[in-house]
Amino acid sequence: MNKHLPASGVTSLVAGKQGTSSQTSSIIDPASGLEVGSLSHADLATVDAAVQAASDAFPRWRDTAPAQRARYLMKFRELVEANKQELAELITREHGKPVVDALGSIQRGLEVVEFAMGAPQLLKGENSDHVATGVSTRSSRRPLGVCVGITPFNYPAMIPMWMFPVAIACGNTFILKPSEKTPSAANFLAELLTKAGVPDGVLNVVHGGREVAHALVTHPDVKAVSFVGSSAVARAVYEAGTSAGKRVQALGGAKNHAIVMPDADIRSTVSAILNGAFNSAGQRCMAIAVVITVGEAHDMLMPALREGAAAMKVAPGADAGCEVPPVTTREQFEKILAAISSGESEGAKLVLDCRDPDAGKDGKGYFIGPVIFEGVTTEMRIYREEIFGPVLAVMQVETLEDAIRLSNSHDLGNGAVLFTSSGKSAQLFEREILCGMPGVNVPVPSPVAYYSFGGNRGSIFGDLAANGPDGVNFYTRRQVLTSRWS
Ligand code: NAD
């Protein structure tokens, strides 16, 4: 058994010590459906203790030189790098995704750490001498205090690393509330941060579900909340946090559209869509959920897309060559199967149905293979709602303008991708598309870490996206000092 998943279970970490708990839940391996550990949910005393520990640690951490904070992060980066295989295997065991995907997500998290290592530069202010006789003005960025991060199940290491490295680089202290479905990676990261020399109380991990999250979001001593998860919860957290006077950034769900033009290179487009729609079983916030074919692109694309999807290897994430892993929870498994049934009953045409693959035939594990619907309309549930599984909806339109209009009219606007060989079409797409992270000829247009990550419309609540420059703006308050020395 992985040493970071002890038989006694996963507990909250408050200033490096185990927290007390009110209840436990099971940690399940989605490839077998079997319990592989247990999680102790924090009680309210532990929530208070975590906020107290983070408040106590704040003044000293705030006054630690940014260059010293950056050195701790450099050491942390080395330790994560040295332990990444074990961390990836832990993620695979709780989430189900292939180890190679887990490694890729850790790498993306480390890019944020690298960005945050620039703290001395990122925190620099501006200065103007002689704004009046003997008077100068300077701006500075100051930390907020205790910040909270609430994260989803699908990136148990990467999304926490979108948040706490930037927050603590800016001089804040942090409380992480990971998903109760994939909780262990957070403890692993917190332990490595402690090994890197970061003082107790700077990063605390508080486990649990919505009650624990709510207690943190409304706690009077918490200054800011970063949230990533589904849109309904993102909205609720944004409303609860802002009405309690806190700064909140809440990233929500997605229904990313891929537009395929007749001039697209069909071979590479098929490969990109297979990756975007079905790898990680579609459990990515940048997954392709809808394909819009323009004109003749439909007949050019669909045979190869169906054939490619049917040939994808559905297997446990620990198996070499796995392309479509199990989905993470039984709840998610049942929700996806219900969505497929609703597509059928609402009249969409099921052109590929691998919902019952060999990998799940023994009744163990939450395996669903690629499913493709054609003839999907905007009223159907499989179009309107985020499914977050390996289910692709295909729609046909006549022009690029129609396709962009269709994509822009969806409630969610995280990413969108255009496949084309025309620079003119790409320019029109870039100008007109309403989403945070558009892409051209790429499967998953996730920006690198020195840009920020976030959508538009119902995919984000709040003005500032995650990590990158927006992260620094989110985790600091601007101050402008005017002074006279005679
Ligand atoms: P979720 O919304 O169910 O849970 C997210 C987190 O919120 C968890 O830690 C959970 O314990 C907590 N939570 C649940 N209910 C809550 C409540 N009422 N109040 C406060 N906290 C609550 O999401 P999930 O199922 O874990 O993750 C999948 C979702 O996350 C998908 O919708 C996906 O698109 C989204 N996601 C978005 C991004 C992005 O960048 N926009 C990235 C990854 C995942």
Side-chain angles (χ1 to χ4, degrees), residues 150-155 159 162-163 177 179-181 210 226-239 248-255 284-285 331-332 335 385-388 411-412 414 457-461:
I150 300 170
T151 54
F153 75 81
N154 65 327
Y155 286 106
I159 293 182
W162 281 0
M163 298 175 179
K177 206 299 287 170
S179 169
E180 62 278 32
K181 295 159 190 163
R210 59 195 301 176
S226 298
F227 173 89
V228 178
S230 57
S231 283
V233 180
R235 180 191 285 276
V237 165
Y238 184 78
E239 289 174 356
V248 183
Q249 55 174 186
L251 278 64
K255 193 83 178 178
R284 298 192 288 208
C285 56
E331 183 193 359
Q332 189 61 14
K335 191 179 143 218
E385 294 177 10
E386 180 182 34
I387 299 173
F388 218 54
D411 289 345
L412 302 174
N414 220 32
R457 317 207 296 283
S459 293
I460 195 165
F461 299 88

Side-chain angles (χ1 to χ4, degrees), residues 74-223:
M74 277 179 221
K75 184 71 192 157
F76 172 68
R77 194 211 168 284
E78 277 170 28
L79 289 167
V80 176
E81 183 68 43
N83 288 278
K84 67 184 179 189
Q85 186 65 27
E86 191 182 349
L87 179 58
E89 286 168 14
L90 185 59
I91 292 170
T92 295
R93 173 128 71 147
E94 294 182 5
H95 176 282
K97 68 176 74 178
V99 176
V100 61
D101 281 12
L103 282 167
S105 70
I106 294 167
Q107 183 57 37
R108 178 60 176 75
L110 286 179
E111 287 175 16
V112 181
V113 179
E114 287 159 10
F115 172 79
M117 278 156 38
Q121 170 71 17
L122 296 169
L123 295 173
K124 272 179 7 191
E126 299 157 322
N127 183 62
S128 301
D129 272 344
H130 302 303
V131 294
T133 308
V135 177
S136 65
T137 293
R138 71 182 172 97
S139 68
S140 54
R141 290 177 179 276
R142 309 210 164 263
L144 306 175
V146 179
C147 300
V148 162
I150 300 170
T151 54
F153 75 81
N154 65 327
Y155 286 106
M158 181 185 82
I159 293 182
M161 283 198 278
W162 281 0
M163 298 175 179
F164 74 78
V166 183
I168 68 174
C170 292
N172 301 286
T173 53
F174 204 84
I175 301 170
L176 174 62
K177 206 299 287 170
S179 169
E180 62 278 32
K181 295 159 190 163
T182 51
S184 302
N187 284 35
F188 197 145
L189 293 173
E191 286 165 20
L192 294 181
L193 199 72
T194 300
K195 273 196 194 145
V198 171
D200 283 347
V202 172
L203 174 68
N204 306 276
V205 182
V206 171
H207 287 290
R210 59 195 301 176
E211 294 77 17
V212 170
H214 187 73
L216 286 167
V217 169
T218 53
H219 197 290
D221 296 335
V222 167
K223 303 294 181 219

